[in-house]
Amino acid sequence: GASKSRDLCTLSFEDAVARLGDFRHRGWRLGTDRMREFLRRLGLEDKLGSPDDSGLVTGDPDPASRTAPPPVRFASPVTRSPQYIHVAGTNGKGSVCAYLQSILFEQGLRVGATYSPYVYDVRERVQLDRDLISKEDFARLTERLLEIGETMEGTEFGGPTEFEMKTALGFLYWAEKKADYVALEVGMGGRLDATNVVDPACSVIVSIGLDHTEHLGDTLAKIAYEKAGIIKQGRPVVVGDLPAEALEAVLDVAGQRAAPVLIFGRDVSWENGTVKTPSATYEGIVPGIKGAAQGHNVALAVAAIEAAGAMRDPSVVPLGACKARLPGRFEVRQYKGRKFILDGAHNPQAADHLIATLRREGVDLPVSLITGRLQGHPVAPFFAALAPAVGKAWVAKIDFHRALEPIEVIESAPELASALPCGSAREALDAAIEGTAAGGTVLVTGSFYIVGEVGNLISAG
């Protein structure tokens, strides 16, 4: 009763974060029925995208028109829902979302984005125009979510999970701020992910590797099928450089849904700063995020913006690409006379890209390593892939309920036989500084959670 008429938020930002954390015990629940009901109760069912079809890519355009993308007709942003570009993949989802957000923003659009997991600040999860949601908005909207979430307890749906709460927070915020577009990152998989309630202007499948196999299946084809679940009837999909069996599974789903497909290496390419799509060529692009895969990722973002009918001003693409930023992706910092490289790589594919980037950036190998792992990501294959670049190593206990014990990590990976277990990120950081010569490089990788903890310690000095 009284709570409904309350205009002022009584929840502080810190309380809101803590209250959302209370939902963690519900774990990860795959399926979208509860999320749909939650959003219906929040009054958001008509704010989940329903693109104007004028911008759809239909097959190969007339070669004569290849110099410029098709003209785009914009509805009034006040009356329409935010348009979603939905991004799935084993690696690279966050980077593609960062390029989407930045390039669209440079075109004068209001652009939301979501990243999961966050690295340093929970507000990374919900963004608008390259800025984090304010603490005030975070607390105010969380209060509303808690109220509505409570009405679902004891129903057939049950109350929402932590991930569903944070995802709904984004949907509420972008609808309220009248975002034109949102770069929406999938949490896990795609088909049954809580984000898969949108009707996107375009979908993107960045990469496919073996990860979360206990939830998504134990072959590349099965995982690809789960990620392809974000492809919608008649909506275009941009597909990254995938292994053959994964690509086959994705094309199969796209075919069933009559979704136009743009494939990296066939329809979309990246070479030395130039992105080519079926309708245009974009030159002079320097990706703002470091990494061997970033040319590929920026090309997918550009192709997706075109396919979504959102390319207003092609001339700002280079500016948007170079201004894109994302924490925990080959992030370089100086601390106590050592160079720290913070990177959220946590599977073999990402480890390979990380080593390629270390070499390309001229980093002297081997480097010292601070690492830590969560349950659910196989330990041995990741460290086998990373081993060529690593000398001394320290394995920290991550401060998170799904953290693996350091000794468990060391025993699971022969390459870490001489690594030292540490009770915390602080202990590992101090030990790595002690054990690394001045001017040396310390690589922090293996999980976004260890990157977040060490990065925050470095920032605090």
Side-chain angles (χ1 to χ4, degrees), residues 62-269:
D62 167 21
S65 70
R66 279 199 183 174
T67 49
V72 179
R73 295 191 284 283
F74 281 84
S76 158
V78 181
T79 55
R80 68 177 201 166
S81 155
Q83 301 299 292
Y84 290 90
I85 298 179
H86 202 185
V87 184
T90 305
N91 297 309
K93 299 187 288 291
S95 300
V96 170
C97 285
Y99 294 122
L100 286 168
Q101 178 180 212
S102 191
I103 293 168
L104 287 166
F105 174 66
E106 290 300 334
Q107 304 197 46
L109 292 159
R110 303 206 77 177
V111 194
T114 182
Y115 301 97
S116 130
Y118 69 88
V119 182
Y120 302 120
D121 183 330
V122 66
R123 295 180 300 136
E124 292 165 26
R125 288 292 309 270
V126 177
Q127 305 193 9
L128 186 74
D129 296 346
R130 290 197 300 235
D131 288 331
L132 309 187
I133 182 173
S134 72
K135 290 183 175 179
E136 295 72 24
D137 283 335
F138 189 100
R140 178 176 57 80
L141 295 175
T142 296
E143 190 160 53
R144 170 125 181 254
L145 293 172
L146 291 167
E147 268 180 26
I148 302 294
E150 214 169 289
T151 69
M152 292 178 66
E153 302 288 348
T155 68
E156 65 195 281
F157 298 101
T161 63
E162 183 190 23
F163 183 77
E164 287 164 346
M165 290 289 261
K166 287 177 178 169
T167 302
L169 179 67
F171 288 133
L172 261 184
Y173 181 65
W174 302 315
E176 189 180 272
K177 297 290 183 193
K178 299 188 165 54
D180 296 307
Y181 280 86
V182 174
L184 184 67
E185 181 180 338
V186 165
M188 180 168 39
R191 185 173 67 93
L192 300 173
D193 188 68
T195 61
N196 200 26
V197 292
V198 296
D199 183 9
C202 177
S203 301
V204 184
I205 295 167
V206 184
S207 65
I208 304 283
L210 291 172
D211 208 357
H212 296 294
T213 47
E214 73 285 14
H215 295 292
L216 305 179
D218 53 6
T219 67
L220 291 175
K222 285 179 188 168
I223 291 173
Y225 170 74
E226 289 298 325
K227 299 204 188 278
I230 68 167
I231 298 172
K232 299 295 189 299
Q233 192 67 33
R235 305 279 175 232
V237 56
V238 177
V239 181
D241 185 15
L242 307 188
E245 62 175 296
L247 180 60
E248 197 178 325
V250 170
L251 293 178
D252 200 31
V253 175
Q256 289 164 25
R257 300 192 183 156
V261 183
L262 292 164
I263 303 174
F264 184 85
R266 185 191 79 180
D267 312 295
V268 182
S269 67

Side-chain angles (χ1 to χ4, degrees), residues 2 28 32 39 47 50 52 66 71 81 97 140 153 196 243 261 310 320 400 418 440 444 460:
W28 203 282
T32 59
L39 296 174
K47 293 289 183 218
S50 46
D52 159 29
R66 279 199 183 174
S81 155
C97 285
R140 178 176 57 80
E153 302 288 348
N196 200 26
V261 183
F400 190 66
S418 62
V444 184

Side-chain angles (χ1 to χ4, degrees), residues 16 24 29 95 227 288 291 317 400 402 451:
R24 199 169 273 168
R29 178 184 169 280
S95 300
K227 299 204 188 278
V317 167
F400 190 66
R402 288 196 293 118
V451 165

Side-chain angles (χ1 to χ4, degrees), residues 22-40:
D22 291 343
F23 288 82
R24 199 169 273 168
H25 68 276
R26 295 194 165 150
W28 203 282
R29 178 184 169 280
L30 294 174
T32 59
D33 53 332
R34 177 163 59 193
M35 188 67 182
R36 286 181 194 282
E37 175 62 15
F38 190 25
L39 296 174
R40 190 188 69 73

